[in-house]
């Protein structure tokens, strides 16, 4: 079930067997509107464009909302792991506190041959409880039919400044929350060197956070994902590499390939970093 | 199931086989009150008046709330595709943020022999999540019994001015959202040349939006509807041609016929426009 | 099922076979308190008093909340059509926007041998959606066990003045809404000659609303009730003739009988008015 | 079912067969805190103390929250009718409008061998609808497994002054509401001679409310309880005689016995008062 | 079922058979963030670190959120009683009134071989009703599959000062509430000598609360836990001894062992205190 689909994700594309992910998510049409997302590169209006790109660039999978997945599932199910993003937000307006709407369901993912579902939480939101509880129910429902859950954990809310949303302590906290909620794979934003929470400042005094490498190591230690049988902890990272490229209006396929390759290369140089910080006596890979 | 009813809709009336829709929706009595809607043309008070008009004018189908459909289903089910509008709003008052009430259900549509259900969303509303989630559940429930879902997507909410509601970027966004939510057919309002969202202005700089033809082409590119088996993308348009006529108090049957005919004529002149912008390698008609 | 119980209602009492209703509803104890309702005529404290009065006066049925119906169902079920009022409000306090509480259920009506259920909506309320949706569910649940639904449709809310609540355009609108929601029988308040909604004023310019007869004719055109098989439209009116009498502290049984008789007499003088305004080709009676 | 358990309640203790109740409710620990409730008489901390007292004093039954009932059910089920109080409030804080929390359920009552459930409503609260609807569901669920429902009906809310909460018109109204909701037994607070609602003042002009006897007679007329088969109306009164005694820190067992005895004696002097005001032709006792 | 798992908890570790608990809960990563919780003692980042510590120190069990339990269940289920903490809060932001989010479920506990579930309530919160009702449902669901429920009862809300949250009257009240809700084991914070509620001050005048011993005795009297068959009342205490130690950044294993031992020693010196204040005729231990 879940493990089989996780293995499928991990054994697909250029990074197969490395324990790392580069998943291509395309929900910009929903989140930011079609023109902002696709006008600079009109082929992006076509739902078939993105999974083809994911295959060509050697990604582990492709994540999108229901409409896009329904367009391509008949072609890619079984070939490219598809992740159904089951909640989404738009930028036209919504509830007072950040909270995406549920837009599809586990049985849609099952019907469309997906390898998992995706869900976004906004730790820090006044609607936190609703999101966490919906996620709780979705994870259990998805597990029951063999689907892992990928969580996008983006802190956002009245108590967080724009800078705070990507502060190292807040991003690490977001990874921790998603892992404790039972996420199988977690995506966080690249953290800055800022420490936002007053109460956390002392804790970070002796942690070197001067480089991205070190930042990611810290995140990897905080965010842990469960493989009950293998007893390993991983922080999976889900990239969204094409978003900015699309906005610039160019076809950046070579760049995506390059990024995947770079990720593969880094893994060989620094295996511990991408595998998280395993506890004592917890060695061995998941795949 | 769903495809059979979609084909039924597409193969009914003057536009049969063209891949286009002119559906006659009559929910003005609920939305604006009976006198404003029907007093100028008193035969409109009669629930039987409207489906007869739809047949006579060669429409693809007829959409109305439960009360009206219950009046005519025994006569038109199997003859004219009926769409049960399952949510409705009135103009006497309601919740603080725009949100129609659920007024009937999928099993009503099934019981009354309808060819589909209809649902209105208001992207931009503070109650967005509730509407999207209700729609999510309705689409799945309707699909399970073979009924397609037609979505009216009308942006409305605290962050949108009256002008913004029909701005080209907002209308295109509304089509995108409805399609991503899994709608089989989408109705948007005719867009103006205004670009409302500051962040979208740059994206529209190089898109020609000077004529309605071009506006519709842009919408067609943004809003896509799924036919998983045929692999085609369509933007279906649902007209409400009689609303203004009713208010003027005259019998405009000839006009409705003329409009259907005009739509048929335009299709032959510009087939690509009405079929949306198909992706690479995605040719051929749905019917 | 539903039709059988509707026929039972229509074929009971002095008005049997006329297509009109005089139903005696007694929920004043809940809505206004026991002393205000019953102290002037103490026998009214007795739950058995009211159905006896309904029988004696030749009413079509008797409607009341659960407590009262439970007291008398063993005696009157099968003799006098009983309507279980499944929502109620009191005047001690409640939610910010008008909304009655659900106080009993369809299976109570079934258990007690009732011929239908009753439900009050307040179009214009900020809680409109909750009421419409609850009614939607109740109508379907009641239909499934063969019970028709009688809707009291009383506009009320922040956007309506006291005068507006009984304005002819607002009352006609309320009838339209209840009918579109699928009510089998609708009760509205007697409308005044006022036109409340600015947007409706022009529509009423050419409609004669100077007399109660004309007002009711307009309402009958707006509010329509479904008999799918017979193809007829009716506006059923549910009288509450005793309410004011009770407050005056006298036994007005002769008056109630007179009112029922008058209603019977009017029917013979002006059959079209009480049957609503049938559409073209829709003649014949329901019974 | 329900009637059997009602009979059990009515045929237990000193008042067996009189049609009256003295039920000992002990929820003060939850409602006011343990020290305020039990410190003056420390044996009251012991959950076993109270049902023993109820038996010794000849009460009809014992009502308490889940924790207390779970402690004693194994000993008293079948000997002393136990009432599970399924909602409770505390005085540390809660929702803006008065509303107790659901704290146990019908199946707990069934599991623990109880003879009924208890529920508190606060007519006048902004959360009235939630309480009435929860009660509606609980009564039906309890009836389905043969358990009667005892309702504590205490008006409370933004529109009621402290004095208004016990005004004769408000208390009579509270009894009416509970009875209409289907309660089998109703507890109200002893009313004062105040008439609170402006609109009710005229109704009370000719009702003698100068003595407690007369007050209770008025309440008995307003609040009626259903015994469908016997056709009798009763207002059951549930005493909470020990609450104040506990606060005074003394063992008042003799007092409780005296009160039960007094109640038994009053019944013989004025049978009509305790049986409510039966309607015409409704004589005979329930037991 | 429940009793078997309670016995398992009570018969594990150094305190086996004493009727007391030292359970090690580690939810600081969720509640306070990973760096604040684990950076001072980096092995704590490892989910495997904590249950190993619990075993080594002779604790009765280990409680943690889903993510941590999923990491270690395959190793510790059947060896160390695991408690799944099914609700959690973080310090990034949340609802206006204190209320943890549901983060896992009873069937997760069952799937992972846990010996019970844990739940936190905040008496005094404006969202009290939601928490109490969720707990009500969880306790029943857990009991149905044989799992006891451990409740953390921490008063918190608009009406409580920081000092009030640990006042003796408030802490005793919190224990009372959790026990009345049906908790099998209750954790409260060590109370101060402050009496917070004005209305409770008089009640505490004659209770000696000068020493922690006396404070705990008072709490034990207020908070009672049910063993229906044995008829005994217990206040179980759940320690969180390592929290502060972690923050200090040191490995305090010896301290934990010492604390467990001390608890064992105290039991022998003052058995009545740790067993609560049994009611008359209620002797004998649960195990």
């Amino acid at each position: 079930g879940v493990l089989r689909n996780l293995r499928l994700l991990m054994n697909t594309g250029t990074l197969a067997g490395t324990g790392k992910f580069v998943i291509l998510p395309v929900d910009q049409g929903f989140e930011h509107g079609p023109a902002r997302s696709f006008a600079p590169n009109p082929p992006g209006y076509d739902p078939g464009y993105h999974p083809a790109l994911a295959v060509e660039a050697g990604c582990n999978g492709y994540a999108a909302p229901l409409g896009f997945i329904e367009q391509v599932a008949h072609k890619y199910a079984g070939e490219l792991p598809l992740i159904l993003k089951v909640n989404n937000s738009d930028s036209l307006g919504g509830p007072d506190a950040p909270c995406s709407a549920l837009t599809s369901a586990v049985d849609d993912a099952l019907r469309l041959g997906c390898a998992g579902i995706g869900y976004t939480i906004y730790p820090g939101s006044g609607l936190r409880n609703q999101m966490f509880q919906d996620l709780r129910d979705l994870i259990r429902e998805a597990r029951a039919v063999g689907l892992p859950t990928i969580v996008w954990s983006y802190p956002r809310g009245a108590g967080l400044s724009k800078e705070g949303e990507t502060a190292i302590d807040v991003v690490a906290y977001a990874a921790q929350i998603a892992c404790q909620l039972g996420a199988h794979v977690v995506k966080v934003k690249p953290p800055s060197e800022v420490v936002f929470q007053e109460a956390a400042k002392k804790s970070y005094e002796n942690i070197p956070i001067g480089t991205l490498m070190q930042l990611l190591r810290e995140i990897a230690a905080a965010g842990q994902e469960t493989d009950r049988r293998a007893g390993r902890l991983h922080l999976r990272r889900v990239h969204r590499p094409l978003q900015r490229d699309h906005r610039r209006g160019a076809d950046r396929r070579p760049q995506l390939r390059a990024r995947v390759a770079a990720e593969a290369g880094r893994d060989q140089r620094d295996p511990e970093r991408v595998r998280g910080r395993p506890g004592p006596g917890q060695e061995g890979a998941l795949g």
Side-chain angles (χ1 to χ4, degrees), chain A:
Chain A
V2 171
L3 211 60
R4 174 178 160 252
N5 275 305
L6 272 176
R7 286 210 174 90
L8 184 67
L9 260 175
M10 301 178 79
N11 291 331
T12 296
T14 306
L15 296 171
T18 65
K20 292 190 294 183
F21 295 108
V22 173
I23 291 175
L24 175 65
V26 182
D27 57 2
Q28 299 94 317
F30 205 123
E31 303 276 328
H32 304 292
R36 290 173 62 192
S37 305
F38 306 129
N41 182 28
Y45 279 116
D46 176 13
Y49 174 82
H50 311 285
L53 184 57
V55 168
E56 183 182 327
C59 291
N60 296 67
Y62 168 67
L66 181 64
F68 264 15
I69 296 290
E70 281 191 328
Q71 283 288 346
V72 303
H74 65 293
K75 184 166 176 188
Y76 289 96
E79 177 176 351
L80 173 70
L82 300 174
I83 310 296
L84 182 62
K85 189 76 189 341
V86 297
N87 71 342
N88 288 100
S89 188
D90 61 70
S91 47
L92 290 175
D96 285 343
C99 183
S100 295
L102 289 167
T103 53
S104 57
V106 169
D107 52 6
D108 288 315
L110 207 61
R111 169 175 65 92
L112 295 167
C114 296
I117 62 167
Y119 188 90
T120 296
I121 56 173
Y122 299 126
S125 165
L127 291 169
R128 173 198 76 184
N129 284 16
Q130 186 181 317
M131 288 183 281
F132 289 7
Q133 292 171 202
D134 282 350
L135 175 57
R136 175 187 84 135
D137 293 337
L138 285 164
I139 287 178
R140 281 184 299 144
E141 195 185 349
R143 181 194 296 115
V145 296
L147 297 179
T149 300
I150 298 174
V151 172
W152 279 254
S153 188
Y154 293 169
R156 197 173 293 180
L160 294 170
S161 66
K162 206 69 200 165
E163 196 186 55
E165 292 178 359
T166 54
I168 175 62
D169 59 321
V170 172
V171 172
Y173 202 159
Q176 171 77 213
I177 288 170
C179 289
Q180 294 287 19
L181 288 167
H184 297 95
V185 179
V186 177
K187 161 71 167 54
V188 293
K189 293 198 171 167
S192 70
E193 297 182 26
V194 173
V195 175
F196 177 74
Q197 295 178 294
E198 206 53 50
K201 279 185 175 153
K202 210 180 153 200
S203 304
Y204 279 94
E205 274 171 10
N206 299 314
I207 304 179
I209 48 173
T211 69
L212 182 61
M213 285 299 120
Q214 286 164 325
L215 288 173
L216 287 173
R217 178 173 295 133
E218 167 60 16
I219 300 288
Q224 287 144 350
E225 174 250 331
T226 298
D227 173 358
R228 184 177 154 195
R229 271 158 287 190
R232 280 295 311 280
L233 309 182
H234 292 267
L235 176 72
R236 308 297 176 198
R237 274 161 305 123
V238 184
H239 287 254
R240 184 187 260 183
L242 295 190
Q243 181 168 0
R244 249 168 277 157
D245 302 345
H246 266 153
R247 293 195 191 158
R248 290 186 202 123
D251 179 349
R252 301 281 176 121
R253 281 181 244 191
Q255 276 204 351
L256 179 61
R257 272 193 299 271
R259 204 169 297 192
V260 171
E263 190 69 33
R266 273 206 294 264
D267 184 37
Q268 284 146 16
R269 289 196 306 269
D270 184 2
E272 193 222 35
R273 179 182 57 80
V274 299
R275 288 191 193 131
R277 192 169 201 140
Q282 294 182 310
E283 294 301 328
L286 181 130

